[in-house]
Amino acid sequence: MTRIRTADATFVRPVGLSESSVASVLRVPPEVAGQRLDVFVHSQLRRTSRTRAQAIVRGSAYDAEGRKLEPNDRVRAEQQVLLWRPPWDETPVPRDVPVLYEDDHVLAVDKPPMLPVHPTARYHHNTLIKILQAARPTSPFLSLGHRLDRETSGVMLVSKTRAFDRALKKQLAARHQVEKTYTAITWGLPDRGDGARAFRYVLGMQLDEHNRLGVKMRASDAPGALHAVTTFDVEAARRARGGRLYARVKCGLETGRQHQIRLHLASLGAPVVGDKLYGPDDRTFARAADGELTPDDAEMLELPRHALHAARLALSHPITGAPLVIEAPLPRDMAEFWAALLPP
């Protein structure tokens, strides 16, 4: 992305805009000079649909002199395109974060689905760490020990001391005496071709440079691809009333790559229910980011989020060395979805 810091840009605030409005500044690289403005903006806002990009241009695009820009304007090399908007009205998030375990060094919580762990442009105050800091104003130190996707629920460790934080991250990076187990509900049964219900799966992966979303991974055996290993155990299978087959799958991580479980399951013909990126249509990912999911999208996805849950984390305590096993029960949305299905 060719976004530049507002502090490094020189521009005039358009007449009539609220003083509280803020700008995202996009620099036009020479190689795309002459493109339509809506095409350029669409290429920069990778999680945004083309229709949404056009609407953003019509409602918020100005040049550095404060002149309104239109979707069919042609961009110039090194031009600054400013997208003006009000400060984010943050999307509400779940704020009930159950504590699973706590000692002097660590806080283990059951992260609810749809709660981000890291601040983003859209979520700054409504994040796991901000909620915990607000609930524990006297805690001198709280730091995320690892990450989970916003839609993924389950076990998360939050460091309470710097010494624990350093030791935990070193241990997780080395994967020394660490076991991470997830539960997924999938469309269909994962099948590597031999009918096995429990197996170890090795499949390299790398960023899909041809996918415009900029975050999707793809299977790869090319030099430089990330080594990725997941173990799968199909615990049960059920069907919907219409006959569609589903599986509840226990997933173990031997490596910890971004989107690893979701990509591996999709490559085995059993994507995670509700997965907007590796499911039946990755265009739903952009529509969800724009708040523009259709009723047809919701029917296709079946759940508002992907059905993946960090069920268990086992490791030796980074400070004391004692065994530490944290488990989080299956969340209500996944439990109710599974309970509504029928025996095969």
Side-chain angles (χ1 to χ4, degrees):
M1 178 179 284
T2 55
R3 190 187 301 267
I4 63 176
R5 294 189 306 167
T6 305
D8 295 335
T10 302
F11 55 84
V12 175
R13 180 180 291 271
V15 175
L17 285 186
S18 168
E19 288 299 317
S20 64
S21 295
V22 294
S24 296
V25 186
L26 306 178
R27 180 188 63 83
V28 179
E31 60 268 24
V32 302
Q35 271 188 354
R36 281 176 56 110
L37 176 60
D38 56 354
V39 174
F40 169 68
V41 170
H42 182 231
S43 72
Q44 301 304 297
L45 306 181
R46 294 185 175 181
R47 303 186 187 188
T48 297
S49 65
R50 174 72 181 274
T51 300
R52 177 63 176 160
Q54 289 176 333
I56 289 172
V57 170
R58 291 192 185 97
S60 67
Y62 293 80
D63 67 13
E65 286 72 45
R67 290 189 291 265
K68 186 72 182 68
L69 299 173
E70 299 300 331
N72 61 354
D73 287 344
R74 301 289 173 171
V75 297
R76 306 183 310 276
E78 303 301 333
Q79 178 184 0
Q80 292 180 6
V81 175
L82 287 87
L83 304 179
W84 288 92
R85 59 167 174 81
W88 287 115
D89 181 13
E90 293 194 31
T91 303
V93 298
R95 305 189 73 84
D96 181 20
V97 183
V99 175
L100 301 172
Y101 171 84
E102 184 172 9
D103 63 23
D104 291 340
H105 308 281
V106 62
L107 176 68
V109 300
D110 185 359
K111 186 189 88 66
M114 311 309 289
L115 175 61
V117 298
H118 294 293
T120 66
R122 190 175 297 273
Y123 298 92
H124 181 67
H125 299 289
N126 291 345
T127 65
L128 173 64
I129 200 68
K130 292 288 188 180
I131 289 171
L132 292 176
Q133 287 170 343
R136 296 164 174 259
T138 60
S139 296
F141 183 83
L142 290 173
S143 175
L144 295 171
H146 52 108
R147 70 181 302 276
L148 288 177
D149 290 336
R150 182 173 68 95
E151 294 191 9
T152 303
S153 55
V155 177
M156 281 210 68
L157 299 185
V158 179
S159 304
K160 294 173 62 177
T161 66
R162 296 185 187 279
F164 182 93
D165 197 52
R166 288 191 298 268
L168 174 64
K169 288 173 179 174
K170 182 178 180 180
Q171 185 173 345
L172 292 175
R175 304 203 66 81
H176 177 63
Q177 295 182 321
V178 176
E179 297 178 11
K180 290 184 177 181
T181 306
Y182 289 70
T183 298
I185 299 176
T186 62
W187 285 303
L189 274 65
D191 182 12
R192 65 176 183 180
D194 60 1
R197 299 287 288 264
F199 55 90
R200 182 174 182 267
Y201 190 59
V202 181
L203 181 69
M205 54 193 296
Q206 63 183 173
L207 185 68
D208 186 352
E209 63 275 11
H210 300 298
N211 186 283
R212 63 165 301 276
L213 295 169
V215 295
K216 189 173 184 178
M217 306 296 285
R218 65 178 178 86
S220 174
D221 58 1
L226 299 171
H227 177 65
V229 184
T230 313
T231 60
F232 293 113
D233 183 0
V234 178
E235 297 180 313
R238 292 188 176 181
R239 290 190 183 273
R241 295 188 183 278
R244 189 173 194 176
L245 185 64
Y246 299 79
R248 190 180 71 229
V249 185
K250 179 180 177 181
C251 313
L253 287 178
E254 291 189 19
T255 56
R257 310 304 185 187
Q258 183 182 28
H259 303 170
Q260 177 178 319
I261 291 173
R262 294 159 61 196
L263 174 63
H264 278 188
L265 284 169
S267 73
L268 290 164
V272 175
V273 171
D275 198 327
K276 302 171 187 68
L277 199 57
Y278 299 96
D281 183 357
D282 68 7
R283 291 175 296 180
T284 59
F285 182 83
R287 291 198 288 270
D290 295 337
E292 296 179 348
L293 283 177
T294 67
D296 287 345
D297 291 335
E299 183 179 359
M300 175 182 64
L301 292 167
E302 299 195 74
L303 280 174
R305 59 100 169 196
H306 56 241
L308 185 64
H309 175 67
R312 183 176 186 269
L313 177 59
L315 70 164
S316 58
H317 194 294
I319 299 298
T320 69
L324 181 60
V325 179
I326 312 295
E327 296 183 335
L330 197 66
R332 181 176 178 178
D333 61 342
M334 289 177 62
E336 290 181 349
F337 182 88
W338 185 253
L341 300 173
L342 304 173

